[in-house]
Amino acid sequence: MALTRIVSGACIGLEAVRVEIEVDSRESEKPFLVLVGLPDAAVREAKDRVFTALQNSGCDITKFSCTINLAPADLKKEGAAYDLPIAMGMLSNRGLVKKEKLADYLIVGELGLGGNTRPVLGALAYAYLAKELKLKGILLPAANGMEAALVPGIEVLAVESLRDAITAINGQTPPSIKARETKEQKPHPVDFSEIQGQLQAKRAMEIAAAGNHNILMTGPPGTGKSLLAKALISIMPPLEFDEALEVTKIYSIAGQLPHANLIQNRPFRSPHHTVSYAGLIGGGSVPRPGEVVLAHHGVLFLDELPEFSRSVLEAMRQPLEDRTLTISRALASTKFPCSCLLVAAMNPCPCGYKGHPEKACRDTALQIDRYQKKISGPLLDRIDLHVWVAPIASHELMSIQNQEPSKAILERVMRARARQKKRFGTNKTNAEMSAKELQTYIPADGPIKELIKQAIDSFQMSLRSVHRALKVAITIQDLAESDTLEEDHVLEALSFKQCS
């Protein structure tokens, strides 16, 4: 009898947790393979894939019976990532792989029937787990090698087949690979210099980028709302290394990593208004990240906001407030980060021409009221900046020249972000400031306090709405590089706030 223990992992949310695979084997006239440890259908089928892959790799497994336990037994095991560790455990019991070497590596990977390896989701999370467990390295499919190599300080054995895995563990081939050098950021598709006019909307976008504030643009069709949203990425600071790793991990888990390199550009997600609850928020029997999570450290653009399902929009309220998302299921709860900048756009009415200087609105007051009430007050309350995007007359359009490029705006945004980093000591932005922190930057008395009281009385602003307006005012102060919060900063912030 022989017993081998292999370290593997299971992805829960964005993190990988340790799974120990115990392989117990013995001689038998009738070969069999028993798999226990709460496996799902894909894991149960591993015994057939592994058995055939071993045979096609030239390994003699006749008269060889095996019991495999996936521990902890109360954690449901899903997917095909256990094929390779199970096969390596069986080979170790046959004396074909050095058992003491296997203990140094975390092993994951799917096997084809010919013994070739297939990629798995979440390679970056598995590599982090190997580092946390203080293992020497990770053994995984070649297609995941460059991704795992993004984690510094561990050895990566990336193999094309089961035979390669045997030779790598036995030390007969050079095992380690290194991550490729990160590529430069791709140019942004839209520059602010391409957008004619709309000075107020551009100013709102600059404030949003500087403080990571949510923004809603309202205006008739064709006024440039979508173009402004796409250009916003061009004035947001580049991802720092830790942020880039976090974004890359999310896309790896979701199976949407476009290449093995570190993601350098901030995400821009623009789901269609027919998106489901699970598509936008995330979910499923195995919780997967939705668009809100995929937009982490980037922009989530919701065009035609009233056309989204009301239940889907209402589910956005908690993520916008807490910047984290918890999906609860019967067996466990999964937490995802979702610190994204929400950019929403909508028409003022169903036909779109309410307030248009040249085209008449065809909708009744009742139709307009119903349309606008599709967006609840609590959701609007969580949006810091509300801006009207007006149409530009033809004679005005011809006179507009020399629009400010994104590069110039980005420089101001970077200086504002530097002030926030100095203020908080981290990459925290003004939009994430707590009410307690906010009070330390607001004068206890004087004209600003009086201005806030007048705004509350005149516009019936909620306390949350006031706090968000003050956060915007502090961002305006940062853009002005002022040492004190002035009345002009608060007035400009209030001009961008929708008041009921």
Side-chain angles (χ1 to χ4, degrees):
M1 182 179 74
L3 177 65
T4 299
R5 291 184 174 87
I6 305 289
V7 178
S8 189
C11 281
I12 299 177
L14 298 184
E15 304 299 328
V17 297
R18 177 179 175 136
V19 170
E20 190 172 270
I21 299 176
E22 298 176 318
V23 182
D24 180 273
S25 59
R26 64 194 68 202
E27 296 287 340
S28 174
E29 289 296 328
K30 294 183 178 180
F32 66 87
L33 195 153
V34 177
L35 191 60
V36 296
L38 205 60
D40 74 344
V43 180
R44 286 195 298 271
E45 291 172 354
K47 59 184 180 181
D48 299 315
R49 287 192 300 272
V50 169
F51 193 86
T52 307
L54 286 167
Q55 282 187 319
N56 289 331
S57 297
C59 302
D60 181 15
I61 53 172
T62 56
K63 298 182 180 180
F64 180 66
S65 300
C66 192
T67 301
I68 298 163
N69 178 43
L70 309 179
D74 59 346
L75 175 68
K76 189 172 183 180
K77 319 302 184 306
E78 298 166 321
Y82 303 107
D83 294 2
L84 185 57
I86 289 172
M88 295 302 286
M90 293 171 68
L91 290 169
S92 173
N93 286 352
R94 298 291 284 176
L96 299 175
V97 175
K98 296 177 181 178
K99 186 179 294 188
E100 65 277 6
K101 285 271 191 173
L102 285 177
D104 293 334
Y105 295 92
L106 185 145
I107 306 175
V108 291
E110 180 182 348
L111 289 175
L113 296 183
N116 58 299
T117 59
R118 300 181 187 276
V120 295
L121 299 181
L124 198 59
Y126 290 126
Y128 268 111
L129 176 62
K131 187 173 183 178
E132 289 171 8
L133 296 175
K134 297 181 179 179
L135 297 174
K136 183 179 179 181
I138 180 170
L139 173 68
L140 77 175
N144 296 119
M146 298 308 299
E147 181 186 340
L150 293 172
V151 179
I154 62 167
E155 187 179 58
V156 177
L157 306 186
V159 296
E160 294 279 359
S161 66
L162 188 55
R163 288 181 180 178
D164 291 344
I166 296 170
T167 54
I169 288 294
N170 289 337
Q172 298 170 16
T173 58
S176 186
I177 65 171
K178 296 180 180 179
R180 289 194 292 261
E181 291 184 5
T182 54
K183 298 179 179 179
E184 293 183 1
Q185 284 186 300
K186 295 179 181 179
H188 299 290
V190 181
D191 192 277
F192 268 83
S193 61
E194 302 171 27
I195 304 172
Q196 302 297 308
Q198 303 297 1
L199 295 181
Q200 186 185 24
K202 287 181 179 179
R203 172 62 174 171
M205 285 294 180
E206 182 178 341
I207 296 168
N212 211 41
H213 300 287
N214 301 323
I215 181 170
L216 171 64
M217 295 179 287
T218 307
T223 53
K225 299 187 293 294
S226 298
L227 204 61
L228 283 161
K230 291 173 183 176
L232 177 59
I233 285 288
S234 69
I235 63 169
M236 293 185 71
L239 288 170
E240 296 198 0
F241 183 72
D242 290 344
E243 294 175 329
L245 273 177
E246 196 171 12
V247 173
T248 304
K249 187 191 289 187
I250 291 171
Y251 278 74
S252 173
I253 293 288
Q256 296 190 30
L257 193 62
H259 45 69
N261 288 335
L262 194 68
I263 291 179
Q264 294 286 84
N265 291 348
R266 288 188 181 272
F268 180 88
R269 307 294 299 187
S270 180
H272 192 260
H273 60 77
T274 56
V275 67
S276 66
Y277 179 98
L280 185 66
I281 304 301
S285 56
V286 181
R288 293 292 181 189
E291 294 291 337
V292 177
V293 180
L294 292 169
H296 183 54
H297 291 317
V299 171
L300 176 66
F301 177 43
L302 302 184
D303 200 7
E304 305 296 344
L305 189 65
E307 301 303 327
F308 284 78
S309 164
R310 186 179 178 91
S311 62
V312 169
L313 290 180
E314 290 305 299
M316 289 283 297
R317 286 159 57 174
Q318 181 261 334
L320 288 178
E321 190 74 22
D322 300 337
R323 298 185 180 271
T324 59
L325 177 65
T326 302
I327 300 175
S328 298
R329 292 293 179 264
L331 296 177
S333 293
T334 305
K335 181 176 281 189
F336 294 105
C338 57
S339 182
C340 63
L341 194 165
L342 173 66
V343 180
M346 62 180 286
N347 296 327
C349 61
C351 78
Y353 294 108
K354 180 176 180 289
H356 198 285
E358 298 175 359
K359 298 183 180 180
C361 176
R362 302 187 303 271
D363 302 311
T364 65
L366 181 60
Q367 287 174 319
I368 295 171
D369 186 58
R370 283 177 178 171
Y371 179 79
Q372 293 180 345
K373 283 186 175 179
K374 289 181 179 180
I375 316 299
S376 70
L379 179 61
L380 289 173
D381 222 21
R382 287 166 169 81
I383 298 177
D384 305 344
L385 299 161
H386 297 251
V387 60
W388 172 259
V389 185
I392 303 174
S394 56
H395 67 277
E396 294 176 323
L397 190 63
M398 298 302 294
S399 63
I400 295 172
Q401 294 180 350
N402 300 323
Q403 297 297 295
E404 188 176 30
S406 294
K407 185 178 179 180
I409 303 172
L410 176 60
E411 289 175 358
R412 294 196 295 269
V413 170
M414 292 288 285
R415 290 196 295 270
R417 286 286 184 110
R419 289 171 61 92
Q420 292 168 59
K421 192 167 187 176
K422 184 178 179 181
R423 176 181 299 136
F424 301 117
T426 63
N427 288 329
K428 186 175 179 179
T429 57
N430 288 334
E432 301 168 71
M433 210 185 309
S434 67
K436 185 177 181 180
E437 289 173 323
L438 183 63
Q439 293 302 320
T440 62
Y441 301 105
I442 306 300
D445 50 25
I448 290 179
K449 205 73 172 181
E450 188 60 33
L451 186 60
I452 294 169
K453 289 179 181 179
Q454 290 177 10
I456 293 173
D457 294 338
S458 301
F459 305 122
Q460 299 179 347
M461 295 174 69
S462 67
L463 186 59
R464 179 191 288 115
S465 189
V466 171
H467 282 171
R468 288 186 174 271
L470 290 172
K471 292 175 188 178
V472 171
I474 292 173
T475 300
I476 295 169
Q477 174 193 343
D478 289 335
L479 284 168
E481 300 184 64
S482 172
D483 293 330
T484 57
L485 185 66
E486 306 290 346
E487 285 183 81
D488 289 346
H489 304 150
V490 179
L491 286 170
E492 185 178 5
L494 290 171
S495 72
F496 285 116
K497 192 64 187 172
Q498 179 180 2
C499 306
S500 56

